[in-house]
Amino acid sequence: MRFVRTDVDVEIPATLSHIGSQDHATTLNRDGVSIGTVEHLLAALFGLGIDDVRVEVDGPEVPVLDGSAAPFVILLHEAGLRPLAVPRQLLRVVRPVEVVHGAKFARLLPSDHFEVGYTIGFDHPLLRHQSLALRVTPRSFSEQIAPARTFGFLREVELLRKSGLALGGSLENAVVIGETGVLNNKLRFDDEFVRHKMLDAIGDLALLGHPLLGRLEATRAGHALHAAVAKRLLATPGAFELLPAGAPSREPIEQVAPALRPAGA
Ligand SMILES: [Zn+2]
């Protein structure tokens, strides 16, 4: 997978070694040229089992759209997918690896499937604790994860605006959490927040460059920790193996797409 900045004619591979800034969003860069907010689009691609794509963008940031991956899933469905004659390799976790930062951690464990278990806890009455675990398939991703939107706290919105970030700083493309509740939107899921963190993690794991057989367990993590555990996996001898894979078994996405169009959203 690769991004192409068509405005400056630079190709940036979607791999861990091209990660730049990870404040609030994941940025990839190469030779001083960057592409920002790649994680929601990468999550849509990875979640649907797409691992070969050229993404052309005529500016420094992937459009945030509604702050979720659902618009990308719908567009990918409309564009259509086709298998390539190129052999695929699965990346299988063989031995656990983890990265711990105080109360935050991310670990990758062996599994026969791609699974994500995520726990969040914030110093806010709405978000003290949310936890969810899911086996990630094109269908479960499309229905359970893709529609979950970026969120931010009102107290941080001013800060984000000052730093020039659209993500989390606009009422149109993020769920904004005030002191007593959600300000601007009805939630798409009661636990939309943890689902969005799973979305972010899936997008960051896409930078491994292969479909993953393994389970991510993360608590209070974020982009930096997602990438750190993925890098640790690749840097730890004997922690992973590459297996030949057949074409992915595809659940028909046309049955999934309508579920992504929540009324009024
Ligand atoms: Zn996100």
Side-chain angles (χ1 to χ4, degrees):
M1 296 198 284
R2 58 209 192 276
F3 289 86
V4 179
R5 278 278 305 272
T6 55
D7 53 331
V8 289
D9 199 22
V10 171
E11 186 170 305
I12 308 174
T15 63
L16 292 166
S17 56
H18 286 87
I19 290 177
S21 158
Q22 294 183 296
D23 284 346
H24 303 291
T26 295
T27 296
L28 301 173
N29 60 40
R30 179 183 197 176
D31 301 335
V33 175
S34 64
I35 178 76
T37 320
V38 295
E39 65 272 18
H40 301 162
L41 174 54
L42 285 177
L45 295 165
F46 206 50
L48 296 183
I50 299 165
D51 55 12
D52 194 338
V53 69
R54 171 187 163 100
V55 181
E56 296 186 352
V57 187
D58 63 353
E61 191 179 33
V62 175
V64 174
L65 305 177
D66 69 350
S68 81
F72 295 122
V73 171
I74 291 168
L75 288 170
L76 288 165
H77 160 63
E78 288 176 359
L81 311 178
R82 70 184 164 93
L84 299 176
V86 182
R88 284 157 48 96
Q89 284 187 309
L90 293 174
L91 195 156
R92 188 170 85 87
V93 180
V94 176
R95 291 209 329 250
V97 292
E98 72 174 359
V99 178
V100 181
H101 285 178
K104 308 174 179 188
F105 71 80
R107 62 172 70 108
L108 283 165
L109 305 164
S111 171
D112 291 334
H113 310 285
F114 177 28
E115 298 172 296
V116 176
Y118 217 107
T119 298
I120 57 173
F122 289 90
D123 181 21
H124 188 284
L126 272 187
L127 275 184
R128 290 261 184 265
H129 179 89
Q130 282 186 4
S131 195
L132 186 65
L134 195 71
R135 177 175 162 189
V136 182
T137 67
R139 177 178 293 269
S140 74
F141 177 81
S142 300
E143 292 181 348
Q144 305 292 324
I145 301 297
R149 292 160 298 172
T150 305
F151 61 93
F153 296 97
L154 183 61
R155 62 194 181 212
E156 290 176 351
V157 167
E158 223 15 64
L159 200 66
L160 287 170
R161 284 203 175 124
K162 275 181 195 155
S163 67
L165 283 167
L167 191 67
S170 157
L171 296 182
E172 285 78 50
N173 55 31
V175 179
V176 179
I177 305 163
E179 289 309 307
T180 54
V182 171
L183 291 186
N184 57 327
N185 254 305
K186 268 180 62 180
L187 291 178
R188 293 178 180 174
F189 305 95
D190 287 345
D191 57 355
E192 185 167 354
F193 309 112
V194 72
R195 290 172 192 252
H196 187 79
K197 297 294 287 189
M198 296 166 80
L199 192 166
D200 281 341
I202 292 165
D204 291 331
L205 291 177
L207 297 172
L208 284 165
H210 298 275
L212 182 65
L213 278 187
R215 174 182 175 84
L216 174 75
E217 285 184 356
T219 289
R220 299 183 174 213
H223 295 300
L225 228 49
H226 304 153
V229 77
K231 285 179 179 172
R232 181 151 297 175
L233 178 73
L234 297 189
T236 305
F240 72 95
E241 64 181 357
L242 289 172
L243 302 173
S249 63
R250 294 222 175 280
E251 300 158 286
I253 298 175
E254 48 271 289
Q255 293 179 21
V256 172
L260 297 178
R261 304 172 193 267

